[in-house]
Amino acid sequence: MIICKVVGSIVSTTKAEKLKGKKLLIVQPLDMKTIEEDGKPIVAIDTVGSGVGEVVLLVSGSSARQTEITNGVPADAAIVGIVDQIEIQGSLTFKKGGN
């Protein structure tokens, strides 16, 4: 799993049948210590109702197809959680609503 920030959305009216009805979001990977951008943006299926600006947990590869929403779906990335806070070695690096 990696930590990302939701930065946008994708609208696709023509897509594979198994992608119909799926919410596609653009996420920016983050460094867990600094909460700064760390890599290129990724398109992911949202499985938890997240929105732009939220920090989320992202899984990729075969793990992205392990949720009820993504089972059997041609997906390489899925948002599986909304982060409330991150604590590393006793230091709080992120708190929802506080960063």
Side-chain angles (χ1 to χ4, degrees):
M1 281 188 238
I2 64 171
I3 302 300
C4 295
K5 183 175 187 175
V6 180
V7 295
S9 62
I10 299 274
V11 175
S12 175
T13 54
T14 304
K15 55 190 163 198
E17 187 66 32
K18 290 186 176 183
L19 285 173
K20 289 185 178 177
K22 305 296 186 277
K23 183 177 170 186
L24 301 175
L25 295 176
I26 303 167
V27 295
Q28 174 63 56
L30 301 175
D31 179 284
M32 279 194 276
K33 290 183 180 179
T34 64
I35 311 301
E36 292 181 8
E37 293 183 4
D38 186 21
K40 295 180 181 181
I42 300 165
V43 177
I45 292 178
D46 180 31
T47 70
V48 294
S50 59
V52 173
E54 290 189 292
V55 174
V56 296
L57 292 172
L58 184 88
V59 293
S60 60
S62 62
S63 294
R65 297 179 293 279
Q66 300 296 316
T67 73
E68 285 186 32
I69 292 172
T70 58
N71 188 20
V73 175
D76 190 49
I79 297 166
V80 296
I82 298 171
V83 176
D84 293 315
Q85 68 178 37
I86 299 170
E87 182 181 326
I88 300 174
Q89 296 178 331
S91 180
L92 197 62
T93 62
F94 172 80
K95 184 171 175 112
K96 188 174 181 176
N99 272 13

